[in-house]
Amino acid sequence: MTRITAAQAQTIITTAMATGVERGFKPLSVIVLDAGGHVVAFARADGSAPGRFGIAHGKAYGAVMLGMPGSAQMARAEAQPYFMAAMNGVYGGHVVPVPGGVLVKHDGEVIGAVGVTGDTSDNDVVAALAGLAAVDLTGEA
């Protein structure tokens, strides 16, 4: 199984944050998790709220643990709120079911997730996908 290396995680974060600056996004926080939901790396831009770790983590954690990106989780939460409430209970309240949680894939296999927060959810996705492109990994947003 391929895994996300620490070097790749740092490049994902650096690129995602640089993309945010280049596009005029609000300060971003970015986390990279491995396939087991463990933190590989995290960074919070200057000016980003201190609570952003939990949001970035929840976006990525929900994606990797449920095997669905944040956009799919949000659609599921809207269609079946009881299901996502139950899933959040299963995972100790650590799931944030909104876009910005991006599954990371290599050869079709989930190898982790990226969570980005700080701007609109759509812009968070743009930054995450830019970070993944920088390390030749595929993201499902």
Side-chain angles (χ1 to χ4, degrees):
M1 174 181 188
T2 301
R3 64 181 183 87
I4 301 172
T5 66
Q8 285 174 312
Q10 289 300 326
T11 299
I12 291 165
I13 290 170
T14 300
T15 303
M17 293 176 87
T19 297
V21 170
E22 290 165 9
R23 292 181 178 232
F25 297 170
K26 294 176 184 172
L28 299 178
S29 295
V30 184
I31 196 165
V32 178
L33 305 182
D34 66 16
H38 303 100
V39 177
V40 179
F42 170 78
R44 183 172 59 88
D46 292 341
S48 182
R52 292 293 180 171
F53 174 86
I55 298 168
H57 182 267
K59 287 182 174 189
Y61 191 74
V64 76
M65 297 312 277
L66 296 173
M68 64 175 76
S71 59
Q73 292 174 60
M74 187 168 85
R76 189 77 182 262
E78 290 169 345
Q80 297 177 309
Y82 61 89
F83 173 80
M84 285 307 296
M87 291 304 97
N88 216 348
V90 166
Y91 294 110
H94 294 285
V95 175
V96 178
V98 296
V102 178
L103 284 174
V104 180
K105 294 185 173 183
H106 178 74
D107 292 334
E109 179 182 3
V110 175
I111 62 168
V114 174
V116 178
T117 184
D119 204 272
T120 66
S121 290
D122 290 341
N123 286 344
D124 294 344
V125 168
V126 167
L129 292 175
L132 291 173
V135 294
D136 295 321
L137 289 173
T138 304
E140 182 182 345

